[in-house]
Amino acid sequence: MATAYRSGWHFIDLVTAIPHSGDSLMVTVFGEPVVVTRDEDGDVRAYRCLRRPRGAPQPVRCAIRYGMIFVNLDQRDHQQVDADTPAARTFSATPRSA
């Protein structure tokens, strides 16, 4: 059951919690420590902290929506999209009064 809740996007905090570049926030999501930082360019990034010695931090998908930080720990969503997929079609509608 924990794996069902583990997949998907999870709220971490508000963006105002790390307002300046170099600020960081350490949280635990489903028992895994995650560090959310703001880099020099002002972008918010998240990393999974590995428990192995000398392990490099593993990037985690991070998104900002409506001033809130969300992370996704599920590795299945990290697949790249094929360039051969058809582009979304757009439809134009003419108003009835025209």
Side-chain angles (χ1 to χ4, degrees):
M1 186 67 140
T3 57
Y5 290 114
R6 191 170 183 270
S7 63
W9 293 93
H10 303 286
F11 171 75
I12 298 298
D13 206 339
L14 297 175
V15 176
T16 56
I18 49 174
H20 307 290
S21 62
D23 289 348
S24 64
L25 178 68
M26 178 89 169
V27 294
T28 303
V29 181
F30 293 103
E32 292 191 33
V34 175
V35 176
V36 181
T37 63
R38 186 176 291 269
D39 62 8
E40 295 85 19
D41 298 332
D43 295 332
V44 176
R45 302 192 185 280
Y47 298 95
R48 179 181 289 140
C49 297
L50 301 178
R51 296 185 179 138
R52 296 179 291 194
R54 295 191 209 140
Q58 180 182 9
V60 176
R61 291 183 67 191
C62 180
I64 298 175
R65 298 287 184 260
Y66 305 108
M68 297 179 283
I69 303 170
F70 294 90
V71 297
N72 188 345
L73 298 177
D74 194 8
Q75 293 296 320
R76 294 176 292 175
D77 291 342
H78 290 225
Q79 300 171 359
Q80 292 185 353
V81 178
D82 291 336
D84 297 337
T85 57
R89 294 183 359 187
T90 58
F91 296 98
S92 61
T94 305
R96 291 183 185 223
S97 60

